[in-house]
Amino acid sequence: MYELSVSRTFVAQHYLTVPDPGPEGELHSHRYEADLRLRGESLNEFGYLVDIDDVRAALDDVVERYRNATLNDLPEFEGENPSAEHLAREFCDRALAPLDADAVSEATLRLWEDEEAWVAFERPV
């Protein structure tokens, strides 16, 4: 199995909308690190799992969407608690959308919201 990983960091704000969120219910920022891991059993005609420059560009585009944004204000979080788990799913799906990734069979987006805690979203491609 081949695996490729590219990471990016960005700052975004949110507030949790669950009952009794404690201090997380107030607007606050996180310095997120997003790590997209792509896996597949074969390589494409060029010997790549996927072109790493394309992955970098896709991540840069997603980071630009979320950098300095208040997640609660974005349409993809309308009616949802803007948790790290939901952000990981949205980030992963948006990063995968523009990629020519025929050789990729699995994707995992690991998202750190601080130095100690991370969540992950995994899906087939």
Side-chain angles (χ1 to χ4, degrees), residues 34-103:
D35 177 53
L36 180 64
R37 294 179 184 202
L38 305 174
R39 295 178 53 133
E41 293 185 14
S42 61
L43 302 177
N44 68 18
E45 63 185 297
F46 305 111
Y48 301 148
L49 178 63
V50 61
D51 188 318
I52 197 166
D53 290 332
D54 293 345
V55 176
R56 288 178 175 137
L59 289 179
D60 289 344
D61 288 345
V62 179
V63 164
E64 282 306 307
R65 175 164 185 79
Y66 294 122
R67 178 178 285 132
N68 298 319
T70 298
L71 301 179
N72 303 69
D73 295 341
L74 299 175
E76 57 265 38
F77 295 105
E78 186 175 336
E80 286 195 23
N81 184 40
S83 64
E85 292 87 346
H86 284 146
L87 179 56
R89 181 196 68 228
E90 288 293 333
F91 198 106
C92 184
D93 289 347
R94 288 176 182 276
L96 291 175
L99 294 178
D100 179 13
D102 293 339

